Amino acid sequence: MKIIGITGGVGSGKSEILNILKNDYQAKVIQSDHVAHELMVPGAKSYDAIVQAFGNEILNEDQTINRPILGEIVFHDEKKLSLLNSITHKNVDEEILSRIDQFGKEEPEGLLVIESALLVGAGYEKRFDQLWYIYTREEVRYERLKASRGYSDEKIKQMIEKQQKEEEFKSMASNIIDNSGDLEDTKAQIIKILG
C-alpha cells in the first residue's frame, strides 16, 4: 500500500488534485474535514463533548450540530477554537489511523490519499510515503474562493493568515505541486511523480 498525504492552504485546489488521484489512479481518499464532520453527528465520538462545551444553541431542531453557527463562534475566538480542536483532533486522528489499517488489510497494493490542512503533528504522517504540498499563487486562491464560496477579500485574508505559513508547508513536503495554472499542467506534474 502506498500512502500520500496532501496538504495546502485554503483555495489551493486540493479537491482538484484529489479528483485526479481518484479518477486517474483509483486512489481511495480520506479527507480529515469529512471525518471530523462524521464524528460530529449525534451518537458519534465528538458529538457529546462539543454540545457540552458549546451549549444547545449550536443545535438544529433535529439535534444535529449547526456547523455554520459553530464555525462563526470559533472563527472569532482563539480560545474557543482551541477548545473545539482539543475535542475533535484526537478523535479524527484515531479514526484516520483506524481507516489506514483497514485499507491496508483490504487493499494491500492500493493507493491511499489523506488530505488535511494540518497534516504534520497529527501522528499518522509518519506512515506517509510522500507528503505533497499544493502551492497556488495567492491571487489565484482569492479568485477561486470568491467564485466557489462567495467569500469577501477580508474573509479570505483572515483565513489565509490563520493557516500555517507557506515556508512551513514547503519545508515538510516531499513534493510540491504548483496548482496555479490549468488542469493539464497540474496533471503533468502528478504524472512526473506517479507515472
Side-chain angles (χ1 to χ4, degrees):
M1 157 170 92
K2 185 180 184 114
I3 305 178
I4 298 173
I6 291 199
T7 192
V10 63
S12 60
K14 294 186 293 291
S15 305
E16 280 177 356
I17 308 288
L18 297 179
N19 285 333
I20 293 168
L21 292 170
K22 268 192 273 198
N23 299 330
D24 298 358
Y25 295 90
Q26 287 66 58
K28 165 102 167 85
V29 172
I30 298 174
Q31 291 176 272
S32 65
D33 273 359
H34 292 187
V35 173
H37 298 160
E38 288 167 30
L39 297 180
M40 283 185 182
V41 300
K45 221 173 187 177
S46 302
Y47 178 84
D48 288 340
I50 292 172
V51 175
Q52 215 168 4
F54 293 92
N56 289 343
E57 60 268 20
I58 63 162
L59 295 178
N60 295 312
E61 279 179 28
D62 63 1
Q63 299 306 294
T64 55
I65 291 172
N66 184 316
R67 290 204 322 264
I69 288 178
L70 181 60
E72 267 310 298
I73 292 169
V74 300
F75 190 74
H76 299 290
D77 187 327
E78 285 296 322
K79 278 199 181 103
K80 287 182 177 167
L81 178 62
S82 293
L83 174 60
L84 180 62
N85 289 341
S86 73
I87 295 167
T88 57
H89 282 180
K90 182 173 57 70
N91 293 341
V92 169
D93 294 349
E94 283 170 9
E95 181 62 27
I96 289 176
L97 280 167
S98 153
R99 290 184 189 190
I100 290 172
D101 293 338
Q102 188 61 37
F103 180 78
K105 285 179 199 144
E106 290 167 7
E107 295 191 48
E109 301 300 310
L111 173 61
L112 180 62
V113 176
I114 297 167
E115 181 271 319
S116 179
L118 294 168
L119 271 181
V120 177
Y124 44 81
E125 79 274 8
K126 295 172 196 70
R127 300 178 69 174
F128 296 161
D129 297 296
Q130 298 176 355
L131 175 59
W132 293 8
Y133 170 59
I134 312 307
Y135 163 79
T136 306
R137 288 195 318 275
E138 202 163 282
E139 67 270 21
V140 177
R141 292 167 68 185
Y142 271 80
E143 279 167 31
R144 284 183 185 157
L145 288 166
K146 281 188 210 171
S148 67
R149 301 190 200 170
Y151 290 166
S152 67
D153 283 345
E154 188 187 351
K155 178 159 177 132
I156 296 168
K157 184 171 182 275
Q158 282 180 328
M159 290 172 85
I160 288 175
E161 281 171 359
K162 281 190 176 183
Q163 293 195 316
Q164 266 178 301
K165 298 290 165 260
E166 203 169 279
E167 291 66 40
E168 292 173 56
F169 278 125
K170 283 182 174 174
S171 68
M172 299 176 289
S174 55
N175 300 85
I176 296 170
I177 306 255
D178 186 341
N179 195 27
S180 306
D182 62 25
L183 207 52
E184 291 313 308
D185 181 43
T186 300
K187 278 185 178 181
Q189 294 174 68
I190 292 173
I191 289 169
K192 252 190 194 154
I193 299 166
L194 294 180

